[in-house]
Amino acid sequence: MRLPVWSSRTSTPDNGERDMRSRVRRIMAPFVPLAVLLALLGAVGVAEPSFLSLNNLSVLAGESSVILLLATAQTIVILLGGIDLSMAALTALASVLIALALPSMGFGGVLGVLALTTLIGAFQGTIHARAQLPSVVVTLAGFGIWSGIALAIAHTTIPVSAGYSAVGWLDDSSVGVPHAFALAATALLVLAASLRWLPLG
């Protein structure tokens, strides 16, 4: 006597359907952070409608421009598996040196300070690469050194009168977009394009 055989077959997606789902996930993954940001902005806008006003968004863009510019520079370091703790100290040192250089050198002083801080960053990177020291150790030491130099140079607030026009244009805005934010966003787009289409990426 034969016993009946019961087969329970569950429907599973075939390979084509799985490939389609994975492809959709890959396409949508880069937009998830943007979607989360827009959802948060919408929630805050519902709670406080004035938050999404053009004037307030322009102020937020101007205030966040420095953070955006520094985060853009930090992106390459993070992608290489390192960390740069000296960035804030170098920023402070650069602001002090620019304030001192503007009255006599104008925009040339800005370029000179940017070249100097670039060399300092390259120096720290060389120590990290050649001496095989962890980037957190090298840049933590740099944080102490450069912030100390900045404090030693600028005991108080440095007033800037002559030559301020070399950087004063960053305080202005065009069509509601602060120039400082436009500069930071341009740097971000240049980095994104370089990582996408140049051998650097």
Side-chain angles (χ1 to χ4, degrees):
M1 176 177 162
R2 278 182 143 183
L3 296 175
V5 178
W6 298 91
S7 67
S8 60
R9 181 176 299 176
T10 58
S11 60
T12 58
D14 55 6
N15 291 336
E17 188 177 348
R18 281 197 296 269
D19 291 343
M20 179 63 69
R21 289 180 181 177
S22 63
R23 193 177 301 117
V24 170
R25 287 196 204 96
R26 284 197 303 271
I27 295 174
M28 297 301 295
F31 300 100
V32 172
L34 178 61
V36 173
L37 175 61
L38 293 177
L40 290 174
L41 288 176
V44 176
V46 170
E48 188 60 49
S50 61
F51 177 78
L52 294 179
S53 65
L54 291 178
N55 183 51
N56 189 60
L57 291 178
S58 177
V59 171
L60 287 175
E63 294 294 331
S64 63
S65 58
V66 175
I67 297 176
L68 175 59
L69 191 60
L70 296 179
T72 300
Q74 189 78 250
T75 298
I76 298 180
V77 181
I78 298 296
L79 288 176
L80 293 174
I83 189 69
D84 188 353
L85 301 178
S86 66
M87 184 172 287
L90 273 177
T91 303
L93 178 61
S95 64
V96 171
L97 294 177
I98 287 175
L100 292 173
L102 279 178
S104 59
M105 301 178 64
F107 190 70
V110 176
L111 295 179
V113 171
L114 292 178
L116 174 62
T117 51
T118 301
L119 289 176
I120 291 174
F123 172 69
Q124 293 183 152
T126 302
I127 293 177
H128 161 63
R130 297 297 184 184
Q132 294 295 303
L133 291 174
S135 60
V136 64
V137 174
V138 176
T139 56
L140 183 60
F143 175 85
I145 294 172
W146 313 128
S147 59
I149 293 176
L151 288 173
I153 295 175
H155 299 287
T156 59
T157 301
I158 303 175
V160 178
S161 53
Y164 182 73
S165 59
V167 294
W169 60 274
L170 291 169
D171 290 332
D172 299 330
S173 60
S174 300
V175 295
V177 179
H179 292 168
F181 180 79
L183 175 65
T186 301
L188 176 62
L189 292 177
V190 169
L191 174 63
S194 301
L195 294 178
R196 175 64 178 85
W197 289 296
L198 296 181
L200 172 67

